[in-house]
Amino acid sequence: MEKDSKAELESFLESLPPVQFCCVYGSALHPNNRDKSKMVDFILAVPDPLNWHSENIKLNEAHYASGMVYGGARLITGVADNIGIGVHFNPYVNWNCKMLKYGVVRMHDLVQDIRNWERFYLSGRLQKPVHLLVDDLDIENVNMVNLRAAVSAALLLLPLKFSEEDLYAKICSLSYMGDLRMLFAEDRYKVKKIVQGQFDLFQLMYKPFVEEYEAKEVLRCSSSGTHQASISQDYGLSAAHAIVSSLPPAIRRQMGLKLGERKCLTESGQVVLEPVIGSREEAAKCMQKILRRKVMFSSARQAISGLLSVGGANAMRYLGNKIRKAWKSWR
C-alpha cells in the first residue's frame, strides 16, 4: 500500500474509539485497481464491542442505521452475537471522498476463528492479502497457524500436479465454498480476479509454508521459466496424515467424529486423538463437507444479521450492487 493511502486510512481510525487490531482488505486495494469509487473494507477487533459501540455512537452516530442508534449498543451487539456470527458492519461510510465499510468483532472471537475456524468467516478473510494498520496483540503472528491450515486444506483438495496459481486459487476459494452469495450475488470470476490481481502478495504470504512442505518431501516444486512454480505432491497416505495434522483442532475433531479416531503421540510426547484416514479421497470429501457446511451456516447468519443491522435502504443498495456485479460476470 502506498504511504499516502495508508496514512489516509489511518486518519480514519483516529475518528473512532481505540481498536486493538485493524486490517484493510477488498478489491479497492488491488495493485491494479483503477476504480477509486470502490468501497474500502476494514476489520476492527476490540476487547468489548458493547463499550466500543456505545462510544462510537456518540462519536459517529451517522455511521449506524437509525434503528440501531435507537436500540443502542446493546441491540447492535445482540444482533451481531445472537443472529449473526459476532461481527457488526457499518457500510457506506463517507470519509475524505472515499466509501468505507467497517466490521467490528470481539478480539477473543477473532482469535478463536483464526485458530480453530469456529465460524470460518474472518479467518477466511485473513487467508487472503490484507493491509495491517493496527496490530497491538501480534495477530499477524497468530494468523500463521491459519495460513498453514489453509495450505493444508487446499492441498487435500488439489490434484497430483498443479500450478502455483492453482494453489492460491484453491486457498482463496475455501471460504467461499457453500457461501450462498456465490449463487446469485457475487462475481463468478471473483477468486480468479483476487489471485491474479494480488499474485505477488499471495506468493509472499504462502511461500514459507510451501517451502516447509517441500522440506518434508510432501511437495516438489519446479520452475517452469514463468513467474510461478509448477508443483506436484505426494499422494500417499502418510502425506495425507501430515496434511490433515495441520488442520485446525476443531476441524480434525469433526473429521474424527465422521471417520473414526485413533490415538497418536506428538513430538512433545502428548497423546492426541486424530481422525482415521482410510484414503486421501475420503479425508478430502469429509473436510470439504465440514467446511462447506460452516461457510453456508456463517454466511446465511451474517446475511440475516446484516439485513437487520444496516437498515432497509442500505441493505437493498448493497445487495443490488452485488447482484449487478454478479450478473455482469455471467453476461
Side-chain angles (χ1 to χ4, degrees), residues 18-288:
V19 301
Q20 292 178 317
F21 172 82
C22 172
C23 70
V24 187
Y25 67 96
S27 58
L29 295 175
H30 287 194
N32 58 356
N33 175 58
R34 296 292 178 265
D35 184 0
K36 301 305 177 186
S37 66
K38 285 187 176 180
M39 191 148 32
V40 180
D41 300 280
F42 290 74
I43 295 172
L44 312 176
V46 301
D48 185 350
L50 184 65
N51 288 340
W52 193 91
H53 286 297
S54 294
E55 186 64 28
N56 197 41
I57 289 173
K58 297 174 187 174
L59 296 172
N60 300 294
E61 182 180 316
H63 293 183
Y64 296 84
S66 56
M68 290 291 113
V69 173
Y70 181 77
R74 198 164 295 279
L75 175 62
I76 293 167
T77 55
V79 169
D81 291 338
N82 300 317
I83 298 175
I85 53 171
V87 189
H88 172 83
F89 282 99
N90 282 333
Y92 299 110
V93 174
N94 287 299
W95 176 262
N96 287 356
C97 300
K98 287 184 182 294
M99 191 68 74
L100 312 179
K101 178 181 78 175
Y102 62 90
V104 182
V105 64
R106 188 176 290 101
M107 177 58 84
H108 174 268
D109 294 346
L110 175 63
V111 172
Q112 285 302 306
D113 201 35
I114 288 171
R115 287 178 172 166
N116 274 317
W117 294 1
E118 293 283 352
R119 305 292 192 184
F120 202 43
Y121 187 74
L122 293 180
S123 53
R125 292 271 193 272
L126 293 176
Q127 289 167 0
K128 305 167 188 70
V130 298
H131 297 283
L132 295 180
L133 298 180
V134 178
D135 192 12
D136 293 346
L137 301 183
D138 199 14
I139 295 301
E140 183 177 23
N141 186 51
V142 175
N143 195 48
M144 292 298 105
V145 71
N146 181 32
L147 301 185
R148 181 180 287 105
V151 172
S152 301
L155 290 177
L156 208 55
L157 298 174
L158 283 164
L160 182 65
K161 295 182 179 181
F162 51 91
S163 69
E164 198 174 350
E165 185 176 319
D166 292 334
L167 173 62
Y168 303 148
K170 186 60 70 177
I171 290 170
C172 188
S173 71
L174 292 174
S175 59
Y176 296 127
M177 292 191 304
D179 191 333
L180 301 175
R181 296 171 304 171
M182 296 302 288
L183 298 176
F184 65 93
E186 286 289 2
D187 186 337
R188 64 185 295 204
Y189 301 114
K190 181 170 185 169
V191 168
K192 184 177 181 180
K193 288 178 179 178
I194 290 172
V195 173
Q196 291 184 348
Q198 304 180 85
F199 185 86
D200 291 344
L201 295 176
F202 272 99
Q203 211 171 36
L204 194 64
M205 286 174 71
Y206 287 105
K207 187 178 180 181
F209 307 105
V210 171
E211 290 177 344
E212 185 180 304
Y213 271 130
E214 196 174 10
K216 293 178 179 178
E217 298 185 346
V218 172
L219 296 181
R220 289 174 294 280
C221 303
S222 59
S223 176
S224 57
T226 62
H227 185 46
Q228 58 174 295
S230 296
I231 306 172
S232 61
Q233 61 173 321
D234 183 344
Y235 240 48
L237 214 51
S238 60
H241 280 292
I243 290 169
V244 169
S245 69
S246 290
L247 295 174
I251 302 299
R252 298 203 309 274
R253 279 195 298 271
Q254 287 181 270
M255 290 178 70
L257 291 174
K258 295 177 182 297
L259 302 176
E261 293 179 320
R262 63 187 180 93
K263 291 182 179 179
C264 295
L265 196 65
T266 65
E267 292 179 359
S268 61
Q270 184 181 3
V271 177
V272 296
L273 291 174
E274 291 289 350
V276 174
I277 301 175
S279 73
R280 185 189 181 97
E281 292 74 19
E282 183 184 44
K285 286 180 181 177
C286 180
M287 182 203 67
Q288 187 175 39

